Amino acid sequence: MGITAIYPGSFDPVTMGHVDMARRAAAIFDRVIIAVYDTPAKSLVFTTDERVAMAKTALAGAENVTVQSFSGLLVDFARQVGALAIVRGLRAVSDFEVETQMALMNRKLAPEIEVVCLVSSLPYSYLSASLIKEVIKLGGSAEGLVPEFVIAALKQKYAGQGDAAPVPRWLTG
Ligand code: PNS
């Protein structure tokens, strides 16, 4: 038996902030399922399979942590896997508003599931997957903020994308 929690997100890509959060949740709950949402309302760099594979690799050492993708409502997935809690990370005050909104909606949809927010560890409290993507895309260093293999995967995705597009003929006369 025991309590299963899900830790949902886009994970595009998984960061050390996510890894820290999943490990901390795994110390509280009997099982933690990292739930990778397949169609978030944002432009993605990685496919669902890639995001799942990267999260699996990043949490490979954590025995009671597994990774699955889901589509549709989060609470439906939670019920499907028998989770009693949804874990979310709070980085800054700005997260609070969004997370409260989502938590209240999720509670309306599934009152039996509790939303548990953990405050991010200080070194990762300014971290976001989108900032990491921007930094890597522009040639900066994200060392220590995402696993090494994620840096390599991002560099590979962005390789060649920085080349200037050819100037159209009609512009040059
Ligand atoms: O990493 P993110 O992008 O902050 O994660 C957001 C996520 C995936 C947790 C949220 O968008 C979500 O739960 N999506 C599933 C669809 C759903 O249930 N929407 C209603 C949420 S109140």
Side-chain angles (χ1 to χ4, degrees), residues 91 121-128 131 145:
R91 290 162 301 187
S121 298
L122 204 52
Y124 310 123
S125 56
Y126 64 98
L127 198 55
S128 76
L131 261 187
L145 303 178

Side-chain angles (χ1 to χ4, degrees), residues 14-97:
V14 67
T15 68
M16 292 313 286
H18 295 135
V19 171
D20 177 63
M21 196 58 67
R23 285 198 181 129
R24 287 168 53 201
I28 301 172
F29 298 102
D30 297 286
R31 277 174 304 281
V32 173
I33 301 171
I34 295 184
V36 179
Y37 185 41
D38 72 346
T39 47
K42 47 178 117 174
S43 64
L44 295 168
V45 168
F46 294 102
T47 65
T48 305
D49 286 348
E50 286 169 334
R51 288 179 287 136
V52 167
M54 286 190 290
K56 277 186 180 166
T57 307
L59 270 307
E63 268 183 17
N64 56 341
V65 179
T66 55
V67 185
Q68 286 184 47
S69 63
F70 76 101
S71 50
L73 279 179
L74 178 62
V75 290
D76 288 343
F77 178 72
R79 281 173 170 155
Q80 199 185 307
V81 295
L84 288 184
I86 294 169
V87 174
R88 291 286 288 170
L90 286 182
R91 290 162 301 187
V93 182
S94 52
D95 278 347
F96 185 81
E97 203 176 327

